[in-house]
Amino acid sequence: MKEIFTTIVRIKGGNAKVCPVKSTEPVEKELFIELSKAISRVYIGLPVKRGDIICKNILNTGVDIIATKNILE
């Protein structure tokens, strides 16, 4: 069964500490733990705009992880 993967990514600097993200396409639910482990190692810099690609082709799934919120400072 496939679902959109949603989580948060940590931010370096700025007032906000995290940014919400999601997968661009549904992924197998069995991959959610591995996806979470991979994303937990990611830090992003500001500014972030909704739709920015945070991680391209995560775990060779062909799916990108994108920001779902604008965070400018």
Side-chain angles (χ1 to χ4, degrees):
M1 184 170 154
K2 292 186 173 188
E3 278 189 25
I4 296 289
F5 175 72
T6 60
T7 188
I8 54 175
V9 173
R10 292 179 282 188
I11 296 174
K12 284 186 196 175
N15 298 329
K17 300 293 181 211
V18 295
C19 176
V21 296
K22 70 174 188 171
S23 60
T24 54
E25 297 175 30
V27 293
E28 292 293 336
K29 286 183 83 172
E30 292 81 33
L31 291 175
F32 278 21
I33 291 174
E34 291 302 315
L35 291 169
S36 295
K37 287 179 185 176
I39 290 290
S40 72
R41 297 188 293 268
V42 173
Y43 284 83
I44 58 174
L46 296 176
V48 178
K49 292 198 169 111
R50 187 170 177 256
D52 283 355
I53 295 175
I54 304 303
C55 186
K56 195 165 188 69
N57 191 21
I58 192 162
L59 299 179
N60 293 320
T61 58
V63 176
D64 298 336
I65 301 296
I66 60 169
T68 60
K69 183 177 180 182
N70 292 328
I71 301 178
L72 304 176
E73 54 181 66

